């Protein structure tokens, strides 16, 4: 059975009057929505009502609160950690009343700490202290999941470079209760945004018993299949695929209501190992409804 992942949290929150790009919410994007429990619950419920079977916590952009260049971050540390708890506990309670729904704690890429769309090139990992910074970053977030929540299944999202992936893996090893899908963002020819080929990285991830899967997210739909064909060779129990609406559209043009998903494309992903499919940046609820029909048809053998 193919499982249905959730879609873009920023797009979903728009339905309830929340604008990630407002002056009040930049540079923390979706994360401040957790200050309004009803708001974030409504977004979660809308995904669950759509029929998703795998859903992530609204914690992806927590990394922006760790940016020491922003003076208010240190003074609001306890408040931000409370928002983190709300994001996790609210979703866990809602998912309990839905049969077969799995909750995944979203661990955003280190790029969220720099909040400058650097996940699309990964150049921050070329800095002299990048490995130390990445270790400390992931240590902070996994400690929060460990001590402040009951969430033990994680998805590391939108990682653009092999070195950052290995630093995340190293940190995960310090939290033996956690299990994780590690998801990366790709350009063409199965290369990560930073330029590395993915084969060696996939091999290292497969050696770790805590890694239950690998993912492809915030990637142009046209670039998914080449990465999937490489990942397929490693027989991960889980392979998550949740593309953006298209790099050129998302990065240059803003929103687009045209179709992203079609039966041939999605069935090709499934044939090449995808176990769960959803949407990332720019994917609207209307597009998720189309994906839901495609997934249902595949599960029903149509």
């Amino acid at each position: 059975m193919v499982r249905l992942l959730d879609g873009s949290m920023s797009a979903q929150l728009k339905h309830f009057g929340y604008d990630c790009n407002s002056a009040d919410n930049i540079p923390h994007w979706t994360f401040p929505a957790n200050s309004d429990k009803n708001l974030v619950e409504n977004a979660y419920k809308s995904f669950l009502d759509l029929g998703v079977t795998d859903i992530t916590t609204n914690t992806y952009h927590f990394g922006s609160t760790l940016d020491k260049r922003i003076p208010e971050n240190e003074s609001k540390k306890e408040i931000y950690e409370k928002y983190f708890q709300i994001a996790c506990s609210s979703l866990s309670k809602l998912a309990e009343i839905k049969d077969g729904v799995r909750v995944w704690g979203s661990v955003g890429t280190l790029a969220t700490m720099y909040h400058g769309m650097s996940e699309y090139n990964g150049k921050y990992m070329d800095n002299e202290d990048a490995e130390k910074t990445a270790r400390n970053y992931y240590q902070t977030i996994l400690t929060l999941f460990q001590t402040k929540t009951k969430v033990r299944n994680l998805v590391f999202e939108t990682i653009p470079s092999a070195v950052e992936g290995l630093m995340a893996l190293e940190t995960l090893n310090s939290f033996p209760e956690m299990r994780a899908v590690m998801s990366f963002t790709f350009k063409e020819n199965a290369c990560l945004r930073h330029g590395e080929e993915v084969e060696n990285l996939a091999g290292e991830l497969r050696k770790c018993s805590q890694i239950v899967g690998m993912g492809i997210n915030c990637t142009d739909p046209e670039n998914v299949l080449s990465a999937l064909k490489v990942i397929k060779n490693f027989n991960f129990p889980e392979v998550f695929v949740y593309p953006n609406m298209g790099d050129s559209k998302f990065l240059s043009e803003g929103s687009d209501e045209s179709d992203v998903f079609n039966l041939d494309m999605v069935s090709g992903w499934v044939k090449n190992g995808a176990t769960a499919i959803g949407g990332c940046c720019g994917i609207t609820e209307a597009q998720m409804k189309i994906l839901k029909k495609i997934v249902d048809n595949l599960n029903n053998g149509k």
Side-chain angles (χ1 to χ4, degrees):
M1 184 188 82
V2 187
R3 300 179 68 88
L4 184 67
L5 289 164
D6 55 4
S8 166
M9 178 58 78
S10 60
Q12 205 69 7
L13 284 168
K14 284 185 179 179
H15 292 294
F16 303 100
Y18 180 92
D19 180 7
C20 295
N21 295 305
S22 73
D24 290 336
N25 295 325
I26 292 177
H28 305 312
W29 304 102
T30 62
F31 188 71
N34 298 311
S35 64
D36 184 337
K37 187 176 179 181
N38 289 332
L39 170 64
V40 75
E41 285 185 353
N42 282 335
Y44 287 149
K45 285 177 183 176
S46 62
F47 280 132
L48 292 168
D49 290 344
L50 182 64
V52 303
T53 56
D54 291 73
I55 185 167
T56 56
T57 59
N58 185 34
T59 50
Y60 178 85
H61 287 112
F62 175 78
S64 62
T65 73
L66 302 177
D67 184 354
K68 294 181 179 179
R69 298 170 300 176
I70 302 175
E72 68 177 24
N73 277 353
E74 184 59 32
S75 63
K76 291 187 174 182
K77 180 175 181 290
E78 291 186 7
I79 294 174
Y80 292 145
E81 290 184 0
K82 183 64 176 177
Y83 293 171
F84 192 99
Q85 287 179 281
I86 291 170
C88 296
S89 61
S90 295
L91 180 55
S92 295
K93 289 176 182 177
L94 289 170
E96 285 177 357
I97 61 177
K98 295 280 188 177
D99 291 338
V101 171
R102 301 187 300 187
V103 171
W104 299 85
S106 173
V107 183
T109 168
L110 174 60
T112 62
M113 192 172 78
Y114 302 113
H115 44 85
M117 300 188 80
S118 52
E119 57 266 55
Y120 297 104
N121 55 52
K123 290 181 179 178
Y124 55 88
M125 290 306 297
D126 297 331
N127 296 338
E128 184 177 351
D129 61 348
E131 292 188 16
K132 179 180 178 181
T133 301
R135 287 192 192 96
N136 291 340
Y137 171 82
Y138 285 114
Q139 182 76 27
T140 297
I141 295 178
L142 267 62
T143 297
L144 276 179
F145 276 112
Q146 179 78 48
T147 60
K148 303 290 187 180
T149 83
K150 296 181 179 179
V151 175
R152 295 295 178 266
N153 291 326
L154 306 176
V155 55
F156 291 76
E157 302 191 88
T158 328
I159 299 175
S161 78
V163 173
E164 183 178 349
L166 293 174
M167 295 303 98
L169 179 63
E170 181 181 308
T171 307
L172 179 66
N173 289 331
S174 301
F175 296 83
E177 290 185 21
M178 301 295 183
R179 298 292 180 269
V181 170
M182 198 164 289
S183 188
F184 297 83
T185 180
F186 291 82
K187 51 185 180 181
E188 64 278 355
N189 300 320
C191 289
L192 300 174
R193 300 275 190 175
H194 191 254
E196 303 92 340
E197 295 182 355
V198 73
E199 189 167 9
N200 290 339
L201 175 62
E204 289 301 310
L205 294 176
R206 193 67 180 93
K207 294 175 185 177
C208 177
S209 61
Q210 289 176 258
I211 296 292
V212 298
M214 195 165 175
I216 300 167
N217 83 289
C218 219
T219 294
D220 191 301
E222 297 298 327
N223 293 332
V224 167
L225 190 58
S226 59
L228 260 181
K229 287 181 176 179
V230 176
I231 293 170
K232 180 183 179 181
N233 295 327
F234 295 87
N235 297 312
F236 287 97
E238 301 280 357
V239 178
F240 286 7
V241 174
Y242 48 122
N244 60 35
M245 67 177 178
D247 282 357
S248 61
K249 295 176 182 178
F250 170 60
L251 296 176
S252 302
E253 300 175 11
S255 62
D256 187 336
E257 292 292 334
S258 61
D259 292 347
V260 172
F261 304 102
N262 60 68
L263 180 59
D264 287 344
M265 176 182 283
V266 175
S267 62
W269 295 345
V270 173
K271 289 175 182 176
N272 283 278
T275 61
I277 300 174
C280 200
C281 290
I283 299 296
T284 65
E285 184 174 284
Q287 292 160 340
M288 285 296 297
K289 287 179 178 177
I290 292 171
L291 177 61
K292 173 68 164 60
K293 291 180 180 178
I294 294 171
V295 168
D296 286 347
N297 285 337
L298 290 173
N299 286 333
N300 292 327
K302 296 180 181 179

